[in-house]
Amino acid sequence: MKKIGLTLGDKWLIGMLCVVSFTGIILSVILFPAQANTVAEIRVDNKLLKSITLRQGYYEEIRIGGETEYAIIEVQDGKVRIRQDDSPRQIGVQTGWISKPPQQVVNLPYRIVIHLVSNESLDVDDIAR
């Protein structure tokens, strides 16, 4: 019976395929790192109204309320803010743009909370809720 084994050419081919495969894996990890998705959760009366993924080039306006009691939320280029409302102190408006988790904007008169959530680990050790 003839013994069949790997020739030098077979070993060379297997070695080259392994090198090419590992090089492709390493380059894909370096060149295309996983990007964190930042989501703005807009809650009214502690009920989720809308979740918006923040990204460059995206624009949306959301109006909450009616004609007299209202708030306008603006999402633009990876950040979010309460652009306008008719509350007396304008605290939510004065907070300005937020873009990094775990930042949030709160509008107490209309019970609006905009909270940023991400799948990326935070530099913060702990958050009290």
Side-chain angles (χ1 to χ4, degrees):
M1 188 181 251
K2 188 174 180 184
K3 193 174 188 181
I4 300 177
L6 295 176
T7 64
L8 181 62
D10 293 337
K11 292 177 184 176
W12 185 83
L13 181 62
I14 292 171
M16 288 305 294
L17 288 174
C18 289
V19 167
V20 169
S21 298
F22 288 126
T23 303
I25 292 170
I26 291 170
L27 284 177
S28 69
V29 169
I30 292 172
L31 295 177
F32 305 108
Q35 294 184 3
N37 290 330
T38 303
V39 176
E41 292 182 347
I42 301 171
R43 295 182 180 271
V44 179
D45 287 330
N46 205 22
K47 295 176 187 164
L48 184 62
L49 178 71
K50 191 165 190 175
S51 292
I52 301 171
T53 302
L54 300 181
R55 59 187 182 275
Q56 291 296 320
Y58 180 75
Y59 180 82
E60 183 177 359
E61 277 188 12
I62 302 163
R63 184 179 177 98
I64 298 173
E67 292 296 319
T68 57
E69 296 180 351
Y70 68 92
I72 298 174
I73 297 170
E74 181 177 21
V75 180
Q76 180 178 359
D77 292 329
K79 49 192 177 181
V80 63
R81 71 174 176 167
I82 297 178
R83 186 185 74 198
Q84 181 181 359
D85 68 16
D86 64 343
S87 63
R89 291 192 176 180
Q90 300 283 305
I91 294 173
V93 175
Q94 291 175 9
T95 302
W97 293 102
I98 59 171
S99 61
K100 295 181 182 173
Q103 293 177 326
Q104 63 183 4
V105 177
V106 178
N107 180 324
L108 287 178
Y110 305 121
R111 293 177 230 89
I112 300 171
V113 176
I114 304 170
H115 182 72
L116 298 185
V117 180
S118 176
N119 59 359
E120 183 179 75
S121 63
L122 301 174
D123 292 337
V124 179
D125 289 336
D126 200 4
I127 298 174
R129 294 184 192 242

